[in-house]
Amino acid sequence: MAYITASAVEPRRRPAERLGQPDFHYSEPKLRNEAAAQEIDLRQLRHHTKNTLQRIIALITELPGLHDTPGGEKIARELEYRIALSATISNALFGLTETPGSMADRLRQLGGALVDMMRSPDQLIRVGVSVRGTCPPALREAVIRGANELVANAVKHGLKGRPSGRISVRLATEGGVTVLSVTDNGWGFTGSPLYGEGLSLAQGFAERHAGSLRLESCGGAVAILVLPH
């Protein structure tokens, strides 16, 4: 009986494959093509979304009779404003109609638009943003999406019912860790904070990167998202 060894049936391999390493000569062009395809897909999505939002705003402007009464005019202005705010938030989060800018720009756009979207009409809420260091690209999505939930939580819960308030958003990268903190001067809390959907989402973004989220009461509240590199 003849025995066939594994080496006898093993297909011929390039040296890099035998060492368990990918052959980058073959994979790099494919990766470049995939990246180029994704970029053109994003460009088309942005173009389509921008055209759609512009058309919706035009329809609101052109709707017969809507602007003939003070009530109708107010509704039209509110619709246009909310659509613009939604686009600004989506741009800061995902680059939906525009290519995202720097982290400082994205956090400023996100914070200002979220506050205006969620505050009561008679509330005055100011937002300050500071960025120190360079956030690693691999963590930027978690930071921005976490900021979205934490700022919204500060407006919705921390400053609920207050005539005025202040929210500070700070991002710092140093010593192998990136820390996002969102502080409000609202009601604060006692005991253990309750994690609703927003805080649970922020915690999920942290855990994807072996990070953590904690809340502290400080004459208001501060949420701290910690992401190790």
Side-chain angles (χ1 to χ4, degrees):
M1 179 180 293
Y3 292 91
I4 302 175
T5 65
S7 60
V9 296
E10 186 178 22
R12 292 175 62 85
R13 296 182 179 180
R14 292 181 290 274
E17 290 179 329
R18 288 200 296 269
L19 293 173
Q21 299 172 351
D23 189 334
F24 292 104
H25 175 74
Y26 287 83
S27 61
E28 285 181 355
K30 182 178 180 180
L31 291 174
R32 285 196 297 269
N33 289 339
E34 289 178 353
Q38 290 175 357
E39 178 58 29
I40 198 168
D41 288 345
L42 280 172
R43 284 176 57 197
Q44 185 176 36
L45 176 61
R46 288 167 181 154
H47 184 64
H48 163 73
T49 305
K50 184 182 294 185
N51 285 345
T52 301
L53 293 177
Q54 288 174 342
R55 186 59 191 141
I56 291 172
I57 291 174
L59 288 171
I60 294 170
T61 303
E62 299 165 2
L63 188 64
L66 183 60
H67 299 267
D68 293 347
T69 65
E73 180 68 26
K74 181 179 179 181
I75 290 174
R77 287 199 307 269
E78 280 293 318
L79 285 172
E80 291 180 30
Y81 186 50
R82 301 291 170 174
I83 290 170
L85 287 174
S86 180
T88 298
I89 293 169
S90 295
N91 282 335
L93 284 169
F94 310 113
L96 190 60
T97 68
E98 296 177 358
T99 303
S102 67
M103 288 298 288
D105 288 341
R106 293 172 74 180
L107 287 170
R108 289 189 186 101
Q109 290 174 354
L110 181 66
L114 272 173
V115 166
D116 281 351
M117 177 74 81
M118 300 189 67
R119 67 178 176 82
S120 298
D122 56 349
Q123 269 187 313
L124 176 62
I125 300 176
R126 293 186 172 87
V127 183
V129 173
S130 68
V131 175
R132 186 173 73 249
T134 302
C135 180
L139 298 180
R140 290 173 188 172
E141 180 183 0
V143 167
I144 290 294
R145 295 176 71 178
N148 180 74
E149 301 304 329
L150 299 181
V151 172
N153 198 68
V155 179
K156 185 177 179 180
H157 299 293
L159 297 173
K160 181 179 180 180
R162 293 224 167 188
S164 63
R166 184 179 65 256
I167 297 173
S168 298
V169 181
R170 296 184 177 90
L171 178 64
T173 299
E174 57 188 358
V177 67
T178 290
V179 179
L180 170 73
S181 65
V182 176
T183 306
D184 68 71
N185 64 342
W187 301 106
F189 60 89
T190 57
S192 298
L194 297 177
Y195 275 55
E197 184 69 6
L199 291 178
S200 295
L201 284 169
Q203 185 175 41
F205 299 142
E207 290 174 351
R208 286 183 187 178
H209 298 274
S212 63
L213 173 69
R214 71 179 187 272
L215 268 69
E216 300 175 356
S217 189
C218 57
V222 55
I224 303 169
L225 187 73
V226 181
L227 301 171
H229 303 176

